[in-house]
Every structure is written in structure tokens, then in C-alpha cells.
Amino acid sequence: MMPVVGYISAHSPEEGEPRAAAFRRGLQEVGYVVGQNVAIEYYWVEQIDRLPEIAAGLVQRHVNVIAATSTSGALAAQAATTTIPIIFETGSDPVRLGLVANLNRPSGNVTGVTSLIVELAPKRLELLHELLPAAGVMAFLVNPTDRALAQYQVREMLSAARDRDLELHVLNTRGESDFDAVFADIKRLRVGGLVIGVGPIFVRGINKLAALTAHHVVPAIYQYRTFPAAGGLMSYGSDFLDSYRLAGVYTGRVLKGENPAELPVAQATKFELAINLKTAKVLGISVPPSMQARANELIE
Amino acid sequence: MNGPMSAIGPKQTWPSALHMSAFGGKADITSAGIRFR
């Protein structure tokens, strides 16, 4: 009988498909072709509060592997089973999240890939501050309903702001319908720069956020180049599609019989800085040649 | 069904309706999988 992978995504099918395609490429690299020798059941879960029920359903259905491609999805799957192998794709530190005991030797039924995008949030603050040395007040945008991810990010960012002697306002948003109100707060608080947090609602709303940062003249940084490509100022992060590909490779290896407890957590190694020079000019920011030289992509 | 599901491609081999009951019907079955929104 064909093995079945339960694939949990935090995105809609349309947003999530490029990621799922990368996951399938990874599976294929280790010999699994969907429809030929493996089946994937896709769960597109934009409602975080339904994750426990969905994870429990996958356990009940005895899928062979759960591929949980979000932090909340991975935590829900972990709570649902200690026997079915779970391969996660997360942006956070899986040890601090409690997903694994040790990066090199996970020791349970859970292992996977971290793109380290949350760990890079302080670096994003640092890069933004480097462009805006006179700004003493920054803001950080986070989704409080994605609780584990939000708490983790806020902790990291407050500590980074303290280290740099910056005042940081943590602004909450639950989705695109809040964005206008958030930007009213940003103006009211006289924020010099904005770091956009990690999470599906930001992936979903990135074009609107880019438009709002341009409209309100707010220098901002995000994790993916989709932001500067849409008219935002800059981005710094890892190649997330490669993380999904690696999660596919790990899923295939577990299907072949490898023990997740003995598969070290894979970590992103390639990070990219993208800057929209046209937006910088409109915002009145001069991007020093040293930073331009460090950028992997300059959008003009 | 929501959106351009044909983009997902011919990879679905599972009968989603079989386990829909587990979710109390409060989800959309699509050719791309089950969507909870």
C-alpha cells in the first residue's frame, strides 16, 4: 500500500503551492513521486485554532508521516502523537520551541528543518537601524493569535532593541483588515522604522503592507524579497523554498525507514539581503555603498 | 472550491470525502486538499 504523508500548511492552497512544490521536489530527490509511490493529503489551515483537531485526525488516520510546515502546526502534531514521525519546517529555534531536545540528535519522533527566519528578526532590526541611524523609535508588527510564534519573536526583538538602545513598540495585527489601523498607530507613535514579523498573515498581506509603507512613508524590512519587489524598502532572510525542499528530503528519508530521532535538524545556510533603491530614494534614505555591496539584490 | 486549483496539478490520489466527517463538515474540500479558513 502506498505510504501517505499528511501535509499541514498555514497557507491557502494558492499561496502554499510553490512551497508544496518545493517539498515534492525534495521527496522526488530521494525517490518518491506523488501518485506513483507516495500520496500526500494536504491540509491548508488558515485557522490556527483548528490545528489540534486536524493533527488528531491525521493520527486517527494513521498517516505514515506528518509534514508540519508551520510552527503552530508542528506543535499541534507533536501534542497529538509520540509515534508517527513528524517532519517540521519552522522559522524558529526548534529546541526553544520544545520540538526537539537537541539539534544534532532530536531524540523523539520529531525532526525537520529550520529556516531561522525568526532568529534573523534582530538582524533585520540591526540592518534597518544601520540605514536609519538617527531613528530612536522602531516598531515590530506581530500576530498575537499565532501565540507561540508571537511570544518567541517579541522576546527576541525586545532584547535586540535593548541591546541597541532603541525604543520598540510591539504592534498587534490579526490580518489585513487591521493594517490601516496599525499604520495610524505607527504615525501617531512617530515610529522611525518598522520590522514586519514572521507568520502566514504577513505572507498573505505583503503587497498591502508594501503599499501602506510607501503611502505612509515608513521605512520597513521583511524576511522575503517579495516585500522590496512589491515596493517595500528591504528584506533579509533565508531561501524558504529550499527549506521546504529539505523537509521533503527528510520526509522521504523517514519513509524509507530512517529514524527521525537520528536525523539532525537541518538549518538554512544561505541568507539574502534585497534593497529597493527606488523606494529608498522616495523615503529620503541614502543606502551606503558598503550596504549596497552586501546586498544580494538591488531593485532599481 | 476556492481559487485556481488547477495550479496544484495532478497529484491528488486520496478520497478526501472519506475523512471529511472527522472535521464536522466545517472545511472546504478542494482538489488541492482540505482547506480550513
Side-chain angles (χ1 to χ4, degrees):
Chain A
M1 206 168 136
M2 208 183 279
V4 176
V5 176
Y7 181 97
I8 302 176
S9 166
H11 299 282
S12 69
E14 297 85 354
E15 292 158 357
E17 171 50 21
R19 291 166 165 81
F23 178 83
R24 291 193 297 275
R25 276 197 300 280
L27 269 177
Q28 199 160 355
E29 278 178 34
V30 286
Y32 285 98
V33 178
V34 175
Q36 286 182 20
N37 56 358
V38 69
I40 304 180
E41 294 183 356
Y42 296 88
Y43 296 83
W44 309 100
V45 190
E46 293 159 77
Q47 283 176 281
I48 293 170
D49 57 356
R50 299 200 66 180
L51 283 166
E53 162 201 1
I54 289 154
L58 288 173
V59 173
Q60 211 178 6
R61 288 175 51 67
H62 303 292
V63 297
N64 298 78
V65 176
I66 298 175
T69 66
S70 70
T71 300
S72 301
L75 291 168
Q78 184 187 33
T81 178
T82 54
T83 52
I84 296 176
I86 298 164
I87 304 297
F88 60 76
E89 195 285 332
T90 178
S92 314
D93 176 349
V95 175
R96 286 177 64 179
L97 286 169
L99 284 170
V100 295
N102 182 301
L103 290 178
N104 288 326
R105 228 183 141 74
S107 85
N109 60 324
V110 185
T111 189
V113 185
T114 173
S115 60
L116 298 171
I117 47 176
V118 174
E119 267 57 41
L120 291 176
K123 179 70 182 170
R124 284 191 276 275
L125 180 68
E126 185 187 317
L127 286 165
L128 190 61
H129 192 215
E130 200 176 322
L131 270 189
L132 307 160
V137 182
M138 299 286 198
F140 179 55
L141 192 54
V142 73
N143 173 12
T145 61
D146 204 342
R147 205 179 311 144
L149 195 56
Q151 285 173 350
Y152 188 108
Q153 292 184 83
V154 168
R155 218 171 29 233
E156 294 284 307
M157 285 296 286
L158 286 173
S159 152
R162 262 194 310 273
D163 291 348
R164 303 189 73 79
D165 208 17
L166 288 167
E167 188 182 340
L168 185 78
H169 294 286
V170 176
L171 304 176
N172 290 328
T173 176
R174 287 168 173 78
E176 283 193 45
S177 55
D178 291 343
F179 288 173
D180 287 315
V182 163
F183 275 80
D185 283 343
I186 286 173
K187 296 309 284 181
R188 186 176 52 80
L189 295 164
R190 298 178 186 278
V191 164
L194 170 70
V195 179
I196 300 166
V198 169
I201 67 160
F202 303 115
V203 172
R204 218 165 285 147
I206 202 60
N207 287 341
K208 185 169 182 189
L209 284 170
L212 283 166
T213 58
H215 179 73
H216 292 281
V217 199
V218 178
I221 187 165
Y222 182 55
Q223 57 188 332
Y224 301 137
R225 69 169 293 287
T226 46
F227 180 62
L233 178 60
M234 64 200 292
S235 64
Y236 182 73
S238 58
D239 179 349
F240 65 93
L241 289 180
D242 200 51
S243 296
Y244 276 75
R245 182 189 64 81
L246 278 171
V249 169
Y250 266 32
T251 300
R253 287 176 64 177
V254 168
L255 286 174
K256 282 186 169 173
E258 287 193 57
N259 183 354
E262 290 166 6
L263 280 174
V265 173
Q267 297 178 65
T269 52
K270 210 170 77 182
F271 304 103
E272 290 176 349
L273 172 65
I275 305 171
N276 188 323
L277 292 178
K278 215 166 107 185
T279 303
K281 200 172 164 190
V282 171
L283 294 171
I285 295 168
S286 143
V287 182
S290 61
M291 189 176 273
Q292 291 197 29
R294 269 147 61 201
N296 302 81
E297 186 178 6
L298 294 169
I299 299 164
E300 296 185 74
Chain B
M1 187 163 144
N2 300 284
M5 294 313 166
S6 59
I8 305 299
K11 61 184 188 297
Q12 230 16 278
T13 56
W14 52 286
S16 56
L18 284 182
H19 60 281
M20 233 352 251
S21 55
F23 302 108
K26 286 178 276 180
D28 306 328
I29 304 174
T30 77
S31 61
I34 301 184
R35 182 175 188 178
F36 300 82
R37 58 172 178 169

